[in-house]
Amino acid sequence: MDWGILERDHELARLAAAAREAADGAGSVALVFGEAGIGKSSLVKALPEVMPPEARVLLGECDDLATRRPLGPFRDLVGSVGPELAQALTEGGDRHRVYDALRIELRGAPHPAILVVEDVHWADEASLDALRFLVRRVERLPAVLVLTYRDDELGREHPLRHLLGQVSRAERVHRLPLSRLSPEAVRRLSAASRLDPAEVYEVTSGNPFFVAEVVAAGGTGGVPPTVVDAVLARLRGLDDGTRDALEQLAVVPSAVERPLVNTLLAEGMAELAAAERRGLLVVTPERAGFRHELIRRAIADSLPAARRIELNRDVLAALVALPGSDASRIVHHAAEAGDQEAIARYGPDAARDASRAGAHREAAAHLRLVLRQRERHTPLELAGLLERYAVESYTIADSGAAVRAEREAVALRRSLGDARALGADLRWLSRIHWWAGDAEEAREAAREAIAVLEEAGDDRLLALALSNTSQLHMLSDRHAQAIAVGERAIALARRAGDLEILAHALNNVGSARWRTGDPRGRAQVEESLKVALGAGEVEHACRAYANIIWTLLENLDFAEADRFLAPAMELADRAEHLGFLSYLNVEMALRQLAAGAWDDAEKYAEAGAHDFVPARCPALTVLARVRVRRGRIGGDELLAQAWEIAVRSSELQRTGPVAAALAEAAWLRGDHLAVAEAAGPVFAEAHRLSAMPHRAELGYWLTKAGHPVEADGSEHPYALQTAGRWREAAHIWAAAGCPYEQAAALAESPDPEDKLTALAALDALGAEPLARLVRGELRALGMRRIPRGPLAVTRENPAGLTERQLQVVRLLAEGLTNPEIADKLVVSVRTVDNHVSAVLDKLGVRSRRQAAARAVELGMLPAAGS
């Protein structure tokens, strides 16, 4: 039996069953994960043996390049897929064409198709986007998408985490964590050697790759102290030519195509025969590669720096000489060889290829390398490179880098005297500042952009700058200014016949009018949507959808918002516009929060609480309000993060909801002073700007805390509650479909029966803090028989820990170290490190001892001696 598939029958059976289900039209995603060397590739290699006879297994691999190949694992499929997908991948550039071709390929006969993407922890951004596209659709395809990755290499900000979060919401997911081999399996593998199986197990901890290497090196007189030693021991006895060939291939972080092998090695593939016989390489007619990435790394890492540089120079020269070489590979080896001239020459092209494929992280990385050698470029060339780098950084939400690059580009444009280019850059700088949450800097750059472009004589650029300023005014609730400036932009856009700018400007003006109660406003925003859709301007269509939905949510018109949410999310999803998809997820979270569907609210909010700054603040606010209303810990920390973002934005649409959430949290814990501190200043701003929804809610909380506000005649339910008209407010909340707010309004009744009705609704929602206050009020009214309510599920796990994190807490309480916990749970130490960090964060503590004490306090663990 092949050592690589020992103790993997369960996983292979699961994958075979998934393939059979896919053949019947029920596609799925399979996650195969574990530490390096655990046998993920061996499992994949064994797949064809267990698949249905008609199944196709398609394999792509991600490489450990410094800057990844755009769509690298999918380019590996060329030669094993149909001409439509092969051509789309070869020509590159149009990622939507690639996506459609992928879907057609997986749908085609014969099926099922098993698409395996190995090592997705190294995937480029374009590949992750393509995988997101497939994950959302695979359940409707006769296919299984198998993703392998190292779970112990995923930090909190790793790009793969976003994809895994999406996979977790898919309908059919198979999670296949690979465990280490048992002592019995290690004994079987060691049987043919002279090694002590117990010693082998002790050294390797049952990692299959480590076991194989140690056993293979067994003739060296004992168990090597490290696996690197085991790999290097296997090189002994090879002739110098074979060792040189292995070292040459080891600096290439991917399989090496035959033309490159023939260029690098004097005798081509023939030089690799001895290494292949030793089991170090896998050689096919098309390419040669190491049997395992850890073998390649062991050899490469053993080389002196000077030798690595020389070998990378050889690869660089070979790639430059070969027609059609991937520019990203050229740049990788140029960087490894320290060839700055090659980076300056090929880096911009590599960045352009990456950007066209949607791999914006890789594009930014290439440009970052190029910009380290600024003296090699003229001021005009440098300005263009900085502008490109700023846009790529903006796209990947690296706001700091985007701002710095765009500022430098602006300074260069000033020195070059090009007013049009300067105005365009100032407009971009304004947008990037707003994206980063720096409102005042955004407004300053916007003002100068208009001043410069009014003198430049370019109506189109001026219209865009005016519309940008109109947008900033609208977002800051300065509606009169937004309308005045935006009308100029609309006129210029119509005169220039520019539908993109027209859609943008109509959106700003319409949103401003709508929020002031002008009936023309909604019509203008919907015209913006129609113009954008007609012109194929997806970004502007998504923004129009987002503003329509946001305003409807603020107006408590949830049924109407539902009408727009579905097509909006479908458009953003289909176009892979991830920024707006995040924002729309947050709007859906707000919708579910209002409906009392708090689990769904959390799910959608988590999908939006990532790098997209405009979505992160409201996403954190939703997550915090759910925790606060359920009585779970962590809400205060989330609100602190949201408030920091909101203050930097200086926009009421951000500060208003966070201040209201802070006030609600303070009220529920009985801190009336904190209610006033949170709500007072923002209420004053809402009053000054006549922002009715924020003014009504914040005024309500101030009144509850003993700081009554002047009635303004509004019929908003919070304003009615402020005026003591709780019953009318409860009716409005009920009609809008807001059960928590309806119960809170009913609870303000002096009638015990109304309070009991409110209590039943709160218990059903799991709103323990408010329910506790209502029970106290009922006792104060002399009620003797007050329903106890259901035992909250969170009583057993109030911090929302996962099952694995609960296991970690129990072991922490026993005093185990992270390595001891790793051994107990059969996972890597790094995985335990991540779990412990998450546990401390969720429990709101800083040390392991505090975590154990907090778990006891919350009733998650028994007290000592109990």
Side-chain angles (χ1 to χ4, degrees):
M1 180 181 289
D2 185 340
W3 66 268
I5 56 171
L6 279 176
E7 301 185 332
R8 297 292 184 252
D9 291 345
H10 169 70
E11 290 81 3
L12 288 170
R14 288 275 302 278
L15 291 169
R20 291 192 295 272
E21 292 168 359
D24 294 331
S28 59
V29 182
L31 302 178
V32 179
F33 53 94
E35 63 192 10
I38 201 66
K40 300 180 291 294
S41 295
S42 297
L43 184 76
V44 168
K45 182 181 176 182
L47 276 180
E49 301 173 15
V50 300
M51 290 292 113
E54 65 278 10
R56 291 181 296 148
V57 179
L58 306 173
L59 175 63
E61 299 176 354
C62 304
D63 302 321
D64 188 20
L65 289 165
T67 47
R68 322 294 192 205
R69 288 186 301 148
L71 295 171
F74 296 100
R75 295 182 194 274
D76 289 346
L77 303 179
V78 175
S80 58
V81 295
E84 186 171 354
L85 177 56
Q87 187 175 2
L89 289 165
T90 302
E91 294 177 0
D94 187 346
R95 59 177 175 167
H96 299 297
R97 179 186 173 196
V98 172
Y99 297 169
D100 289 339
L102 271 170
R103 179 167 50 184
I104 291 169
E105 180 70 32
L106 296 181
R107 186 188 294 148
H111 54 255
I114 316 301
L115 174 56
V116 181
V117 181
E118 289 212 71
D119 295 323
V120 289
H121 51 278
W122 289 330
D124 65 282
E125 184 181 11
S127 295
L128 290 174
D129 285 347
L131 291 172
R132 276 188 278 264
F133 174 88
L134 291 176
V135 165
R136 286 193 288 272
R137 293 159 178 81
V138 71
E139 64 193 39
R140 300 186 295 277
L141 295 172
V144 181
L145 177 61
V146 181
L147 307 178
T148 79
Y149 61 96
R150 299 180 187 174
D151 62 330
D152 57 351
E153 294 194 6
L154 304 185
R156 289 187 180 183
E157 301 304 318
H158 196 289
L160 179 57
R161 287 214 174 273
H162 295 185
L163 174 64
L164 295 179
Q166 182 180 322
V167 170
S168 70
R169 298 187 291 276
E171 185 174 334
R172 285 180 290 275
V173 183
H174 312 280
R175 292 178 174 81
L176 304 176
L178 299 186
S179 58
R180 296 174 182 176
L181 298 177
S182 67
E184 170 58 22
V186 173
R187 186 193 64 75
R188 292 170 62 189
L189 291 173
S190 307
S193 73
R194 293 173 294 173
L195 302 175
D196 179 357
E199 190 177 1
V200 173
Y201 184 80
E202 181 180 354
V203 169
T204 64
S205 299
N207 179 292
F209 172 77
F210 296 171
V211 172
E213 292 305 305
V214 168
V215 169
T220 61
V223 177
T226 70
V227 174
V228 171
D229 291 340
V231 172
L232 297 181
R234 297 179 65 190
L235 271 61
R236 296 173 192 152
L238 293 173
D239 61 67
D240 289 345
T242 301
R243 288 172 64 95
D244 288 344
L246 285 171
E247 290 175 356
Q248 180 66 80
L249 297 187
V251 301
V252 183
S254 59
V256 185
E257 303 86 348
R258 183 163 191 162
L260 184 55
V261 173
N262 292 338
T263 305
L264 290 171
L265 306 180
E267 297 181 24
M269 293 286 199
E271 290 190 42
L272 306 177
E276 184 184 13
R277 283 193 294 272
R278 288 280 181 98
L280 295 165
L281 294 176
V282 175
V283 178
T284 70
E286 294 82 22
R287 57 177 57 87
F290 287 90
R291 182 173 62 79
H292 198 286
E293 170 65 10
L294 292 177
I295 298 176
R296 185 193 73 80
R297 283 194 175 185
I299 296 173
D301 291 348
S302 72
L303 299 173
R307 174 70 169 150
R308 278 201 304 274
I309 291 171
E310 176 191 359
L311 294 171
N312 273 291
R313 283 179 178 165
D314 291 342
V315 179
L316 173 62
L319 287 171
V320 169
L322 286 171
S325 291
D326 191 311
S328 63
R329 294 180 74 183
I330 292 176
V331 173
H332 168 83
H333 290 287
E336 293 293 306
D339 190 331
Q340 302 303 328
E341 184 177 347
I343 292 172
R345 180 177 178 183
Y346 293 100
D349 289 341
R352 187 173 292 107
D353 291 346
S355 184
R356 287 175 61 205
H360 298 288
R361 273 191 295 273
E362 285 67 37
H366 287 305
L367 290 168
R368 195 179 304 119
L369 284 173
V370 172
L371 288 168
R372 289 177 183 172
Q373 302 294 318
R374 299 174 186 225
E375 68 280 0
R376 296 178 179 272
H377 304 279
T378 67
L380 183 61
E381 291 171 340
L382 183 56
L385 288 169
L386 286 164
E387 289 162 356
R388 289 175 58 190
Y389 180 53
V391 172
E392 296 297 343
S393 299
Y394 160 85
T395 304
I396 63 174
D398 186 352
S399 301
V403 167
R404 288 190 297 272
E406 193 59 52
R407 279 178 170 167
E408 193 172 349
V410 165
L412 279 171
R413 292 300 184 187
R414 288 190 202 281
S415 68
L416 292 168
D418 186 339
R420 291 177 68 259
L422 174 60
D425 271 349
L426 285 165
R427 199 278 307 176
W428 256 117
L429 181 60
S430 172
R431 178 62 176 168
I432 292 170
H433 270 309
W434 181 84
W435 201 270
D438 299 319
E440 187 50 48
E441 288 86 349
R443 287 191 284 268
E444 179 58 36
R447 283 191 290 268
E448 188 182 358
I450 291 174
V452 168
L453 289 169
E454 281 182 328
E455 299 295 324
D458 189 316
D459 282 356
R460 182 186 175 280
L461 286 177
L462 177 59
L464 186 55
L466 289 166
S467 189
N468 174 71
T469 296
S470 174
Q471 180 183 17
L472 291 174
H473 286 316
M474 180 269 292
L475 292 168
S476 299
D477 288 276
R478 295 175 174 86
H479 300 309
Q481 297 96 315
I483 293 167
V485 176
E487 290 286 12
R488 283 188 65 196
I490 289 172
L492 287 171
R494 290 193 192 278
R495 191 164 70 197
D498 193 308
L499 296 179
E500 177 185 0
I501 300 175
L502 178 61
H504 191 274
L506 283 168
N507 192 338
N508 303 325
V509 173
S511 296
R513 282 201 166 111
W514 192 359
R515 291 172 186 176
T516 59
D518 186 333
R520 294 175 293 172
R522 177 169 178 175
Q524 279 189 300
V525 185
E526 292 194 359
E527 182 186 354
S528 165
L529 175 60
K530 183 178 179 181
V531 169
L533 289 172
E537 294 289 346
V538 173
E539 178 176 359
H540 296 302
C542 287
R543 193 170 78 90
Y545 269 127
N547 282 346
I548 290 170
I549 294 163
W550 190 274
T551 306
L552 289 169
L553 292 174
E554 279 194 340
N555 293 343
L556 310 182
D557 198 345
F558 299 112
E560 187 70 358
D562 290 340
R563 191 168 68 85
F564 288 93
L565 270 165
M569 297 185 79
E570 182 182 351
L571 175 65
D573 184 12
R574 187 173 67 249
E576 295 290 308
H577 206 303
L578 301 181
F580 273 110
L581 186 58
S582 292
Y583 202 83
L584 291 164
N585 270 307
V586 173
E587 292 187 321
M588 180 63 87
L590 289 164
R591 170 70 182 100
Q592 299 302 325
L593 177 71
W598 291 345
D599 288 340
D600 288 338
E602 286 186 309
K603 179 181 72 173
Y604 285 109
E606 285 167 356
H610 294 299
D611 297 334
F612 187 60
V613 174
R616 182 165 174 77
C617 181
L620 291 171
T621 307
V622 170
L623 291 170
R625 294 197 100 151
V626 171
R627 290 196 184 187
V628 166
R629 290 177 178 182
R630 281 177 159 166
R632 289 181 176 173
I633 63 173
D636 291 342
E637 291 80 5
L638 293 172
L639 286 175
Q641 295 176 43
W643 182 247
E644 182 180 351
I645 299 171
V647 169
R648 285 183 61 209
S649 78
S650 72
E651 293 173 357
L652 187 60
Q653 65 168 335
R654 304 287 176 243
T655 57
V658 183
L662 286 165
E664 179 183 4
W667 167 258
L668 288 172
R669 66 175 181 265
D671 190 344
H672 291 193
L673 178 61
V675 173
E677 289 175 348
V682 186
F683 170 78
E685 178 72 358
H687 191 276
R688 185 180 68 81
L689 294 172
S690 300
M692 175 50 61
H694 303 303
R695 184 173 67 186
E697 184 172 6
L698 293 167
Y700 166 74
W701 289 115
L702 283 171
T703 301
K704 293 275 284 184
H707 299 271
V709 301
E710 183 179 347
D712 56 13
S714 167
E715 293 299 306
H716 191 285
Y718 275 127
L720 295 177
Q721 287 174 253
T722 300
R725 296 159 60 186
W726 55 267
R727 191 175 297 279
E728 294 171 66
H731 283 310
I732 294 175
W733 289 123
C738 302
Y740 181 84
E741 288 78 4
Q742 179 192 4
L746 275 178
E748 294 175 351
S749 168
D751 187 339
E753 291 302 318
D754 288 326
K755 289 187 183 294
L756 286 170
T757 301
L759 183 59
L762 295 170
D763 284 340
L765 288 166
E768 194 272 335
L770 185 53
R772 186 174 62 249
L773 292 178
V774 174
R775 284 188 169 86
E777 292 170 0
L778 286 167
R779 283 193 293 271
L781 290 172
M783 289 283 295
R784 293 185 177 181
R785 291 191 174 182
I786 302 172
R788 294 182 58 187
L791 286 175
V793 174
T794 55
R795 191 75 50 82
E796 299 175 5
N797 182 11
L801 302 184
T802 66
E803 183 177 347
R804 178 65 92 186
Q805 289 163 356
L806 284 169
Q807 290 177 312
V808 170
V809 167
R810 295 185 187 106
L811 295 173
L812 281 177
E814 293 176 17
L816 272 63
T817 65
N818 284 14
E820 289 169 338
I821 294 174
D823 186 60
K824 198 92 170 177
L825 299 179
V826 198
V827 297
S828 71
V829 175
R830 186 176 299 182
T831 298
V832 173
D833 292 341
N834 290 335
H835 283 316
V836 170
S837 177
V839 164
L840 297 181
D841 181 54
K842 287 185 176 182
L843 291 175
V845 296
R846 296 185 178 181
S847 71
R848 304 157 72 87
R849 181 176 297 178
Q850 290 174 343
R854 182 65 172 149
V856 171
E857 179 185 332
L858 294 172
M860 298 158 59
L861 296 176
S866 62

